[in-house]
Amino acid sequence: MQGVFISFEGLDGSGKTTQVQQVAEVLRGQGYEVLTTREPGGTVLAEKVRELVLDPLLPLNNMTQVLLYLAARSEHVEKVISPALAAGKIVLCDRFSDSTLVYQGLTRGLQLEALENLKQLNAYACRGLVPDLTLVLDGDPHKLLTRRVSRGVSDRYEIQGLEFQKQLRRGFLTLAQAEPERIRVLNAEGSADEVEQQILAVLQQFLKKA
Ligand code: T5A
């Protein structure tokens, strides 16, 4: 039986990493085999790419960033995600292709219609793999950024501040509007347990149908 591929998306500090871990524990307790992973990352090479691409001191133009993310994703899909899906696991991935469309596309002045090239490059890197379900953890950028800042701001995107986070939010909501069947938007402003309950409600319904 083919597994289920679920990606978590949203602003920096929206709680994706926390939720991936919490939700994985609950699903494992229900008897599911669950793999958690993240982007950029998930393989030795992709973790090295992560260091490069998030380094705020290393100048990288947007196309170079895209190609680095896609190189990392190609490895990640081939070596980690696809084998886990083939083994029937639920894969919970902390960010995936939609982050590229938002961070390297919609926030760079591209409109939705102009994302076609980026989508094609991404589809090539992923060999056509698309998440079965994507959960966007959404909320007021100021509130969410404050959580992250209290832990220390360090990477290439976080240092771009509140205005950039607002653009990111608009970007994820635009994608969700365009693909409402796949992308579900959840309110991430509550406590971690409240957000977890919302996610589990969506997941239980989704897994019943899968
Ligand atoms: N990127 C990524 C691209 O530009 N293009 C791409 O194609 C891809 C794949 C990744 C960066 O790379 C960019 C996007 C990102 O900027 P990252 O460090 O992995 O870098 O960044 P994030 O994915 O944003 O991870 P963060 O750790 O910053 O945020 P999370 O995972 O959303 O949040 P989390 O769970 O770590 O929580 C942050 C803090 O808030 C607390 C946690 O304990 C933690 O301290 N918290 C809560 N506090 C109150 N209420 C809740 N509900 C809370 N949930 C968590």
Side-chain angles (χ1 to χ4, degrees), residues 191-202:
S191 69
D193 287 344
E194 284 166 350
V195 179
E196 180 193 317
Q197 289 314 312
Q198 287 183 63
I199 294 174
L200 289 174
V202 173

Side-chain angles (χ1 to χ4, degrees), residues 54-57 148 151-159:
L54 296 186
D55 181 351
L57 300 178
R148 186 64 183 82
R151 214 176 57 179
V153 174
S154 51
D155 79 31
R156 179 183 304 280
Y157 307 102
E158 287 157 8
I159 59 172

Side-chain angles (χ1 to χ4, degrees), residues 12-13 15-18 50 95 100 103-104 148 151 190 192:
D12 299 295
K16 298 174 302 301
T17 311
T18 305
R50 178 185 178 92
R95 296 196 182 280
T100 312
Y103 281 76
Q104 281 71 49
R148 186 64 183 82
R151 214 176 57 179

Side-chain angles (χ1 to χ4, degrees), residues 28-87:
R28 286 183 185 121
Q30 294 175 352
Y32 291 103
E33 270 203 89
V34 181
L35 175 90
T36 63
T37 187
R38 70 168 181 183
E39 287 217 347
T43 70
V44 174
L45 181 139
E47 291 292 336
K48 287 186 190 291
V49 171
R50 178 185 178 92
E51 282 172 30
L52 287 176
V53 85
L54 296 186
D55 181 351
L57 300 178
L58 182 66
L60 294 177
N61 69 35
N62 195 48
M63 179 56 84
T64 305
Q65 290 178 49
V66 167
L67 295 174
L68 286 170
Y69 281 116
L70 295 188
R73 183 163 303 138
S74 169
E75 269 256 324
H76 190 206
V77 167
E78 186 196 355
K79 295 190 172 159
V80 177
I81 299 176
S82 292
L85 293 174

